[in-house]
Amino acid sequence: MRLIVVIPTYNEAENLPKLVSALFDLEFEELQVLIVDDNSPDGSGRLANDLAQKYPGRMEVMHRSGKLGLGTAYLSGFRQAMQMGAQAIAQMDADFSHPPEKLPVLVDALDACDVALGSRYIPGGSVDERWPLWRKGLSAFGNLYARSILRIPIRDVTGGFRVWRRETLERMPLECVHSNGYGFQVEMIYLAYLLGYVASEIPFYFADRRWGQSKMSFRIQREAAVRVWRILFEYRGFKRQG
Ligand SMILES: Nc1nc2c(ncn2[C@@H]2O[C@H](COP(=O)(O)OP(=O)(O)O)[C@@H](O)[C@H]2O)c(=O)[nH]1
Ligand SMILES: [Mg+2]
């Protein structure tokens, strides 16, 4: 199975080489990495080019002009991955919060579902115990909030560690997806749910980033909270298929 792992980067120079080598150490017959870099001031984009030379034919890099957001980074990456002939498309953060060694478990789960979700909020899953209480509470509350408003039976709707079947992404109207921050993850899974796709949640331990800085802020959280209502409104005409 041809798997392409899409990784958006913004200032991830310390994480990138380690992550790429961890991914290529996994036992996959055909795994390619696709980096989507937003002209990171720390030179992650150039570093990604160097890595691509080190792993010829196994790695591609997309460069965008500036920080254009996670959602559009993923959408461009997904489209490119499909053009590259991916049969399965993984998405993960560059900062090791999403453990590379769990990727094979998510990919295996695709045998029985349309999208496999790394989940912090089902038994066996958890978040870094070093997170302060407010951050844990916020993440748990954010999930409860989004899934109650949208009424979806998925425990972790904001997570960004996922593997999609090519056909699932192909049949989703990606041009309708306009959320760009955390809302992007919510909108994607909501849309998949409305279209009747089967999502399977796989527990994992979400470790806090080891290097670099989180781009999470209160502005981003407020935006995400309002986003959920917009998502509900935008798809109000949709009836769940299945
Ligand atoms: N290309 C791109 N990547 C981004 C952007 N914002 C965040 N990222 C990347 O998205 C991933 C998740 O971001 P992060 O700051 O770790 O968010 P957190 O885990 O929620 O704190 C990391 O790989 C970031 O480098 C962006 O605007 N553009
Ligand atoms: Mg992170």
Side-chain angles (χ1 to χ4, degrees):
M1 161 128 79
R2 186 161 205 194
L3 172 69
I4 300 189
V5 184
V6 180
I7 307 169
T9 55
Y10 193 75
N11 289 347
E12 301 287 2
E14 273 167 303
N15 294 307
L16 196 55
K18 299 180 190 79
L19 180 63
V20 168
S21 103
L23 286 170
F24 288 140
D25 282 345
L26 295 172
E27 282 184 17
F28 275 109
E29 259 170 59
E30 275 190 287
L31 177 147
Q32 282 176 290
V33 169
L34 174 60
I35 302 294
V36 187
D37 184 72
D38 277 0
N39 201 7
S40 297
D42 76 346
S44 296
R46 259 173 289 126
L47 186 63
N49 288 345
D50 295 344
L51 287 167
Q53 293 212 317
K54 185 173 159 195
Y55 301 103
R58 302 194 68 187
M59 195 170 152
E60 276 198 25
V61 188
M62 297 175 77
H63 296 278
R64 305 197 306 166
S65 58
K67 195 171 186 320
L68 298 171
L70 202 62
T72 58
Y74 269 128
L75 288 176
S76 322
F78 290 165
R79 292 194 176 103
Q80 177 68 13
M82 288 193 266
Q83 272 185 0
M84 288 161 68
Q87 290 163 311
I89 295 141
Q91 53 171 101
M92 68 193 289
D93 292 355
D95 61 1
F96 282 93
S97 287
H98 301 149
E101 66 277 8
K102 266 276 153 156
L103 195 58
V105 187
L106 266 71
V107 173
D108 283 348
L110 271 195
D111 284 343
C113 66
D114 301 302
V115 53
L117 310 174
S119 180
R120 297 161 290 180
Y121 299 114
I122 57 168
S126 56
V127 296
D128 203 315
E129 65 280 351
R130 288 168 305 183
W131 263 15
L133 201 60
W134 69 266
R135 179 104 207 240
K136 280 186 189 154
L138 194 73
S139 172
F141 174 76
N143 259 287
L144 182 67
Y145 174 91
R147 94 184 140 77
S148 317
I149 291 170
L150 299 173
R151 293 201 263 159
I152 25 180
I154 293 167
R155 312 295 298 197
D156 194 340
V157 293
T158 58
F161 188 26
R162 300 175 171 174
V163 186
W164 300 86
R165 273 176 179 285
R166 180 202 178 86
E167 298 74 31
T168 309
L169 281 183
E170 238 165 19
R171 291 179 196 142
M172 281 170 59
L174 298 181
E175 67 286 352
C176 295
V177 176
H178 294 304
S179 306
N180 206 6
Y182 286 86
F184 173 76
Q185 314 293 3
V186 178
E187 184 168 354
M188 286 293 288
I189 202 59
Y190 185 50
L191 192 53
Y193 170 75
L194 287 177
L195 291 169
Y197 288 119
V198 176
S200 162
E201 289 188 89
I202 312 296
F204 81 103
Y205 172 76
F206 180 99
D208 203 3
R209 64 164 56 241
R210 275 184 265 169
W211 295 275
Q213 285 232 311
S214 167
K215 284 102 203 158
M216 151 92 104
S217 68
F218 273 105
R219 193 182 57 82
I220 289 176
Q221 288 153 26
R222 199 184 51 217
E223 226 171 72
V226 176
R227 249 293 147 192
V228 175
W229 292 101
R230 292 193 58 167
I231 293 170
L232 182 69
F233 182 74
E234 272 165 25
Y235 295 99
R236 67 197 177 282
F238 267 65
K239 274 266 169 295
R240 177 165 152 82
Q241 302 167 18

